[in-house]
Each structure stands twice: as C-alpha cells, then as structure tokens.
Amino acid sequence: MRYLIMIGLAAGSFFTACAQQPVDPIQPFHYNIEKEVTVPRGAVASAHPLASRVGVMILQQGGNAVDAAIATQLALAVVYPGAGNIGGGGFLVAHLTNGRNIAIDYRETAPAKAGRDMYLDSAGNAITQLSIDGHLAAGIPGTIAGIFASMKYAKLPFSKLIDPAIKLAAKGFAITASEAGNLNAARADFKRLNTLPTAFVKEQPWKAGDTLLQPELAHTLTLIRNKGAAGFYEGETAAAIVAEMQRGKGIITADDLKNYRAKEREALAFNYKGYTILTMPLPSSGGICLRQMMGMVEKYPLATWGFHSPRAVQLMIEAERRAYADRAQFLGDPDFIKVPVQQLMNKQYITSRMQDFEPMKAGSSTLTKAGVFPESTETTHLSIIDAAGNAVSVTTTLNGHYGSKTVAGKAGFLLNNEMDDFSVKPGVPNMYGLVGNEANAIAPGKRMLSSMTPTIVLKGKQALYSLGTPGGSTIITSVFQTLLNTLEFGLSPADAINKPKFHHQWLPDEVAVEADFPDSTLQALQQMGYKVVKRGPIGHTEIIQRTPATRQLTAVGDKRGDDSVAGF
C-alpha cells in the first residue's frame, strides 16, 4: 500500500513523488509513505519513510541487516526527533545466518549523582514532573555506544552508515503533517525547558512540507563519524551536554559520559509450539513477561476460539494481568539486584499463575498479586531482514515524546527522560501508569527497567518474523498480541499489526481498548465484570515476515503513524 505525499521546499516549490521510480533517500523532499511491500531480497520497516529508504540503500550497497539497522537508527535520529535519537538508548536483538543470536543492551543509566530519593520532597512525596521534564529527567545516553557495539557484526565502514544521516540533518528534510502537529504541540515545552534556541521552534507554526534543518546535529554526527564513540562521549559533544546540565541544574557529568558502556547479553529464547521466540533479557522486562504470557495461554485452544473472540481476549487479559504483577514486584537491573529469572520463567510456575483463572469472569488486581516461589517507555522500532536471512529487531527510545524536551545545548539533539522509568517511590506510578518496587529503585549507574521488546521468531534456524513496537507500558502486550495473531490466529502481517489492540497492566485494574475494538467483544468483557476504557492508538508495530519456501519478504508499517517500509 502506498500513500502519496506532497512535499514542499522551503522556497515553496513542490514535488510529487513518482510511484514508479526508486527514491534516493538523500533527496529528502521527494518520498512516499509505503505501508506494505513484498520483495525478494531485503526489507526495512521503521517509523519514517526516509529512514527506511536509507536502510534499503545500505542493503543495496552490500551491507547486511546489522549495517542497515545502524544506518536506519542514525537516520531516525534526524527525521524522527520525537523518538529517534542519539540522546536516548535501546536494545538490539538479532539472529545471524551463522546461527548466532545477539542481544545488545544500550539502555540509559542513572548518573553518579542520582539517588533513590531524588524526586521526593521534604515530606517524602513524589514530585513526578521532575522525572519527566527537563534536565534532571535525563539518564546517560546509550545509543551511540550501542551502535558501535553493533559494528563488529556489520560489513561496511561506519562512515558509509552515518553519512546519510549527516546529509539529512545538514540539508534538511520536508516534515509530514503528523510531525508538524507534534512539533507545534510541544512548542511551549521546548521554549520553557531549553536554555538555548533549538531547531524545533520557529516563529510561525510548523506545517506539512516545511523544511527541518538541524545544522548543530549535523556537526555532532560529523564528530561521531570522525572520532567514533569518543566523538559523543568525550570532547566537544560531551562538553556541550555537561554545559547544558550546568545551565539547567542537571546532574550528568563528563565522567558519567566517559564511563558509559553498552553491554552484550545473552538473548532470551523460549519455545512456543515449535517456534523459537527470540527476544531481549533484562533490563528489558519484555522478554520475561512475554515468556510468561505465552506460557500461560499455550495450553488453551486459542485458534479454535478465534481472533478477538471473548474467550480468547479474556484469557489474554488475565495472562497480561499476572505477568505485569510479577513485573512490578521482581524486575530490575540484573547487574544491581538478584532477579529470580529462572523461577519466573519456570514452566511449572507459569502454569501455576493461572490456577485461579475463571473463564468468563473478570479477575481482580486487588486479589492477584505477584507470584510466590521458593528462594533460589516515546519509543520507536525498526525491523530488518536481508537477502541472506539475517534478521534484526531494534527498539530505541527517548521515553516520552521528544524525551525530556531538552536539547543538549549546541549539540542539536534531544535528551531522554528515562529516569521516569525507575520507581521514583515504591507504589507510585510512572508516566505510563506502571508501578514498581525496590527492585527498580534509583541507584547510580543502574539501568532503569524497560518495556521495550524487540523480537524475532525462528522456525528451526530460519528467521520467520522480525517485529516490535513503541508504546511504553503497552509494548509487551502489543508484541504478545502480534505473536498470537500470526502464530495462533493465522492473520496476515498487515492484519496482525493493524487490527485493534487491547491492554491490561495489572494496575490500574482496567482493560484499555482502541476506539475501533469490536463492540460485541467489548460488551462481552463488560458482562464478565471488566472495566473497559477506550483510548487512542496503541503502539506503532513494525513487522517483516519471511516465507521460507519462496524467501519472499513482506514488510508492513503500522497504520497508526507515518511508519513506512522499503525493500528491493
């Protein structure tokens, strides 16, 4: 499916995208939003058409899926400022054709001066706005460290991977109507929270086709191209971040930046009815929660009950409730606390969590607590599969939309507000309504718990799907539903991500559904005793399916945004 975009230059001349000719991603005033493609060789799905085209260009130049993932992330840092970033962090999960599975953790960390009570007033009450807006909300960015940690699996020189992003930042690109609306909505916050002028504020309101020029970001990206990770974590860029912190009473220091390290971890893999689900371990809560939810529903005849049937939806809600209760109680950074990972993923334990499940009757989060066993966040996603069958799934984030809404001085990029993903006080919900306890308390150098769940599905040694989504607390349930939509209900990739979603996260004890959720199922849930609340769009899921017999790739971008796919 192709959406025709009319894009304007700053001078006012207009170009209409040609539906038949390939688009050079470095012609940023001339592009389509492609919602679905089926191609034989390589495909990219991301939150912006220009970023997806950059990824495919890298594949066409001989890069593999990891090369394309690096270039796509860097392009998103320019063309998708609300969540694409070099001032945030993320996770990469990959399956290579040599059989190796990879998980790279470049989640942000708390500054050395951070403390467990840093967002409490003198009476011990949480001041939650401090962890959401401005300088004090930012953790140490991890994206650039993660990209360089990924480079050992890439084929092309780094300069080739970052050059498209530099050109997009320096030459500018035409923004969509959606981006214009987002920038206008954030205008007051940008003016209130920044100490220097930013590229995201101009005198007149933004409109579709306006050119977003980011020369300061182009300079920062050039430093990274020329000096590697030190071009970000040391020298001029680091000094700009620290100066910004000092002007805005933040606490990130030069030592914090210099000492940051990405970590390669063991990918979390589990079996579901003959498929291997490959996903992210802690500090992502997504992998463990996904294992629990899939295990809780595995013995039930979901396919027979049918997609969006009341029985299937109720079962999935109750699995979500129990997994999120365990998340709140037990999960945190495994480098700082002992997390009972094996117990939480034990099949007998997972089965026991559903012992009190009553079909056709709503459960209660007051009664459903975390399990008992013997002792022993705004975001963006991209998926890539290349011609050889290498698959990459990457989710990165600034946390809230435009992160802390604070730009790092003259360096031109937005800083995250990931500190809000810690438990600022036990039992106090974060901006997504998630509660946490001591396991996720703030500590210097600690990684805050995440919901990001980049996921790959294998059959034998072949990657069948690469998928993931943004959406804060709804990420895990969206991936859960997408997996069941494909593996159980047999939906096409487009239907699997675009059909209406629902969400339950233990607290608050309510089922959130999208506006177009079927009324018959909604009414059936209400009759069972559920509180059902309609809400806006849930996530922006990207998915690529690889058909083993033909090796054809079908890539789909979520209908809910400017998400776009490309392939060849």
Side-chain angles (χ1 to χ4, degrees), residues 337-400:
I337 64 163
K338 183 174 176 59
V339 181
V341 173
Q342 295 308 313
Q343 294 97 318
L344 288 167
M345 297 199 303
N346 178 273
K347 189 170 184 178
Q348 185 176 355
Y349 170 74
I350 291 171
T351 301
S352 74
R353 292 292 277 136
M354 296 296 283
Q355 286 179 347
D356 59 350
F357 167 64
E358 294 187 53
M360 309 306 287
K361 181 180 178 181
S364 165
S365 293
T366 302
L367 300 176
T368 299
K369 305 296 185 183
V372 177
F373 38 72
E375 287 294 337
S376 20
T377 44
E378 189 67 18
T379 307
T380 188
H381 179 82
L382 63 96
S383 288
I384 300 174
I385 301 180
D386 65 22
N390 297 301
V392 177
S393 182
V394 178
T395 311
T396 67
T397 186
L398 288 169
N399 198 28

Side-chain angles (χ1 to χ4, degrees), residues 494-505:
D495 283 345
I497 67 172
N498 287 327
K499 291 291 186 181
K501 294 185 175 72
F502 58 92
H503 172 72
H504 196 292
Q505 62 182 46

Side-chain angles (χ1 to χ4, degrees), residues 136-198:
L136 202 60
I140 313 305
T143 294
I144 293 302
I147 282 172
F148 280 100
S150 308
M151 277 299 299
K152 65 181 177 180
Y153 301 107
K155 293 171 60 179
L156 301 180
F158 181 71
S159 59
K160 187 178 287 290
L161 306 183
I162 197 172
D163 274 347
I166 294 173
K167 291 175 182 176
L168 286 165
K171 294 182 177 182
F173 67 98
I175 63 172
T176 64
S178 174
E179 189 65 64
N182 288 333
L183 288 169
N184 291 333
R187 175 187 173 88
D189 287 331
F190 286 142
K191 291 177 71 70
R192 175 173 60 92
L193 296 168
N194 284 281
T195 62
L196 296 175
T198 83

Side-chain angles (χ1 to χ4, degrees), residues 314 317-318 321 361-363 511 525-526 528-532:
Q314 191 222 356
I317 288 169
E318 292 303 327
R321 183 198 306 277
K361 181 180 178 181
V511 181
L525 293 172
Q526 291 173 325
M528 295 178 206
Y530 289 97
K531 178 183 178 182
V532 182

Side-chain angles (χ1 to χ4, degrees), residues 54-72:
V54 165
V56 166
M57 181 183 73
I58 294 299
L59 293 176
Q60 291 172 324
Q61 292 176 354
N64 63 20
V66 177
D67 289 293
I70 292 168
T72 304

Side-chain angles (χ1 to χ4, degrees), residues 2-9 12-24 27-34 174 209:
R2 172 169 294 183
Y3 289 84
L4 190 64
I5 304 296
M6 183 76 80
I7 299 298
L9 290 166
S13 58
F14 288 87
F15 295 83
T16 303
C18 174
Q20 304 302 320
Q21 297 178 0
V23 177
D24 179 354
Q27 297 299 320
F29 302 100
H30 185 183
Y31 61 86
N32 299 315
I33 292 178
E34 299 273 5

Side-chain angles (χ1 to χ4, degrees), residues 162-239:
I162 197 172
D163 274 347
I166 294 173
K167 291 175 182 176
L168 286 165
K171 294 182 177 182
F173 67 98
I175 63 172
T176 64
S178 174
E179 189 65 64
N182 288 333
L183 288 169
N184 291 333
R187 175 187 173 88
D189 287 331
F190 286 142
K191 291 177 71 70
R192 175 173 60 92
L193 296 168
N194 284 281
T195 62
L196 296 175
T198 83
F200 306 117
V201 175
K202 65 186 187 76
E203 289 187 11
Q204 300 299 318
W206 293 94
K207 62 183 184 300
D210 281 351
T211 303
L212 177 57
L213 287 163
Q214 300 173 83
E216 293 174 340
L217 177 57
H219 178 65
T220 297
L221 292 169
T222 302
L223 290 173
I224 296 167
R225 181 193 64 191
N226 295 342
K227 299 183 179 182
F232 183 88
Y233 292 101
E234 301 177 44
E236 183 180 335
T237 305

